[in-house]
Amino acid sequence: MAAAIAVAPAAVSVRVRANPKLPMSSLCYKLNNVRPDLAAHLEKSVESVPHVQAVTFDAQNARLVVEHDGAREEDVVAALREEGFAPEPA
């Protein structure tokens, strides 16, 4: 006799674009002295900015790329500074 096993569905995070008609744009920043263990925290901080769709941090090149559909650059920079980072345009 086979036992029934209940499996909970995996949590799925879906980000819906605020306005799919707006083109995607990118912002690039140079961030020096970022420890690798802070990369995920850094990405989450920037992802919380309205209209940010994706954030990628390349630790090897100290480069942060922000994909967005209308995010204000001032808000992205403010989120980085609030976390103690000093972004420079890349």
Side-chain angles (χ1 to χ4, degrees):
M1 176 182 240
I5 300 174
V7 178
V12 177
S13 176
V14 176
R15 188 159 254 224
V16 177
R17 291 184 61 193
N19 187 346
K21 294 180 182 179
L22 289 176
M24 291 291 285
S25 298
S26 297
L27 298 170
C28 298
Y29 300 98
K30 182 91 170 160
L31 296 174
N32 294 315
N33 303 321
V34 176
R35 297 188 333 243
D37 61 316
L38 293 178
H41 177 75
L42 168 70
E43 291 173 353
K44 281 190 173 199
S45 296
V46 177
E47 285 175 345
S48 69
V49 175
H51 301 285
V52 169
Q53 299 302 315
V55 179
T56 307
F57 180 65
D58 175 2
Q60 188 174 27
N61 295 309
R63 183 179 166 106
L64 181 79
V65 177
V66 179
E67 300 289 332
H68 69 94
D69 63 354
R72 292 176 1 134
E73 185 170 8
E74 307 85 55
D75 293 342
V76 173
V77 170
L80 291 167
R81 287 190 175 141
E82 188 173 297
E83 296 300 325
F85 300 106
E88 300 173 14

